[in-house]
Amino acid sequence: MTIHSTHPFADADPDPARRFRGRVGGAVTLWTAGDEHDRAGLTVTSLMVALGPEPCVLALLDPDSDLLDTLRSTGQGVVQLLTWADRQLAESFAGTAPAPGGPFRQAPFVAESHGPRLASATTWAGVRLAGEREVGWSVEVSAVLEQVVVGDEDDPLLHRRGRFLRVS
């Protein structure tokens, strides 16, 4: 085994846009859609909320994700904020950690009118897909906030520079 002074898989010339994106860290969310028989989810950190008469959440989703397919077919989903205790679940839904039986078996979920909701989520929104467009290597979705529940966020899960962090 060789010990490297730099990351062995890093490009010789790191992509500055990717490095910039990594420094614009924020809340980690879990997007879910579907029903008990056909459901999908994805960890999403690239999002923002646009206020107005019909408030929306804008997010960048993987165009090859099962979540995007399910969101398109159902037209609705659930966006929940994750906590520090949910970091393994975030990895499972991101596809970067093992999830025996699938990621939905890693925690209890509750059926809501917009889709499955993480039972422990205290802050979440039921959303309706309003539009989408290709942006870079992602699909930007616009989803109208139809139902919003805001609870206590004592230990939110944050993502910055490729790592999960907690507020200290």
Side-chain angles (χ1 to χ4, degrees), residues 14-98:
D15 180 355
R18 184 178 181 91
R19 294 180 69 212
F20 179 78
R21 181 188 69 177
R23 284 160 173 77
V24 184
V28 179
T29 63
L30 174 61
W31 285 56
T32 54
D35 58 31
E36 194 171 319
H37 305 291
D38 184 24
R39 57 190 179 176
L42 184 65
T43 303
V44 178
T45 57
S46 299
L47 74 151
M48 64 180 358
V49 176
L51 300 178
E54 195 170 60
C56 292
V57 60
L58 309 171
L60 298 177
L61 303 181
D62 181 342
D64 298 325
S65 68
D66 292 338
L67 172 73
L68 186 56
D69 291 339
T70 306
L71 194 58
R72 285 172 173 155
S73 67
T74 64
Q76 58 188 12
V78 177
V79 179
Q80 47 249 305
L81 295 179
L82 297 181
T83 66
W84 179 253
D86 300 319
R87 61 193 180 280
Q88 183 64 34
L89 187 66
E91 294 279 9
S92 296
F93 274 97
T96 56

Side-chain angles (χ1 to χ4, degrees), residues 60-160:
L60 298 177
L61 303 181
D62 181 342
D64 298 325
S65 68
D66 292 338
L67 172 73
L68 186 56
D69 291 339
T70 306
L71 194 58
R72 285 172 173 155
S73 67
T74 64
Q76 58 188 12
V78 177
V79 179
Q80 47 249 305
L81 295 179
L82 297 181
T83 66
W84 179 253
D86 300 319
R87 61 193 180 280
Q88 183 64 34
L89 187 66
E91 294 279 9
S92 296
F93 274 97
T96 56
F104 281 98
R105 293 234 175 151
Q106 308 308 305
F109 285 81
V110 177
E112 297 287 346
S113 60
H114 287 84
R117 175 183 57 85
L118 180 62
S120 62
T122 59
T123 299
W124 59 277
V127 299
R128 174 180 38 86
L129 183 62
E132 63 179 80
R133 68 183 179 124
E134 288 186 24
V135 177
W137 290 329
S138 301
V139 173
E140 177 195 60
V141 297
S142 173
V144 176
L145 297 170
E146 293 191 323
Q147 178 183 8
V148 177
V149 174
V150 178
D152 293 332
E153 290 299 317
D154 296 331
D155 202 9
L157 183 60
L158 304 177
H159 191 263
R160 191 171 193 304

